[in-house]
Amino acid sequence: NIIDGLAAYGDSDWDRYGLELIEIECDGCVDAGWFEGSDGVGHFGVGENWEPFRKIDDFFGLVDSGVGGLVDVAMMKFCFVDFDDGTGDPTEIFEAYRDAMRDLETSYPDVVFVYWTAPIMTDGSARRDEFNALVRDYCRSTGRILFDIAAIESHDSDGNPLTQGGYEAMVPDYTD
């Protein structure tokens, strides 16, 4: 829903928040003309939910297919379901994510790569918390840029944290 949020800001006050958004729906294709002539956000769906390793591989392949030479910023976000039971060990998912991002950073030094924590749900999750802690620690210790969506989702508008069972949980008001 990040793209929907960006669109809503633009709709509310284009002069202040307007940003060209395009959803690119093709398997591995690159529209160089759009990227060269726009200051907006090109949104690609990569991989499939419940398959975090495939998302990592598809993101790497997409950036390496030509996008990396055309953009200033690149980022990949998992879905909360990518950390359900059966999707892989959170440490292994983190290591694959980190390694792919480092390889891309080396190959495309002019691109800013933004890391993300995994989004959360209202019930809390040890698996998401484990992954998110690894991403936070890595970004903090290496100076990488982090979009900490889990921290945003787990704090109310007054900045108070919410947990369930000792794990970060989404503030119920944010679920709609």
Side-chain angles (χ1 to χ4, degrees), residues 80-141:
F80 63 90
V81 301
D82 292 327
F83 298 90
D84 287 352
D85 289 337
T87 61
D89 176 73
T91 299
E92 291 175 4
I93 296 169
F94 164 73
E95 290 171 351
Y97 177 53
R98 177 204 59 207
D99 293 350
M101 293 288 273
R102 282 196 308 209
D103 288 348
L104 290 170
E105 290 166 342
T106 299
S107 296
Y108 302 96
D110 294 331
V111 177
V112 175
F113 287 89
V114 178
Y115 291 70
W116 285 61
T117 54
I120 57 177
M121 296 177 61
T122 57
D123 60 356
S125 164
R127 294 172 56 79
R128 285 183 210 97
D129 269 24
E130 180 181 342
F131 175 83
N132 290 342
L134 290 165
V135 173
R136 288 178 182 128
D137 289 347
Y138 178 71
C139 290
R140 188 178 303 114
S141 69

Side-chain angles (χ1 to χ4, degrees), residues 115-118 132 136 140 146-153 168:
Y115 291 70
W116 285 61
T117 54
N132 290 342
R136 288 178 182 128
R140 188 178 303 114
L146 173 66
F147 190 104
D148 197 341
I149 191 169
I152 294 167
E153 292 176 330
E168 288 179 310

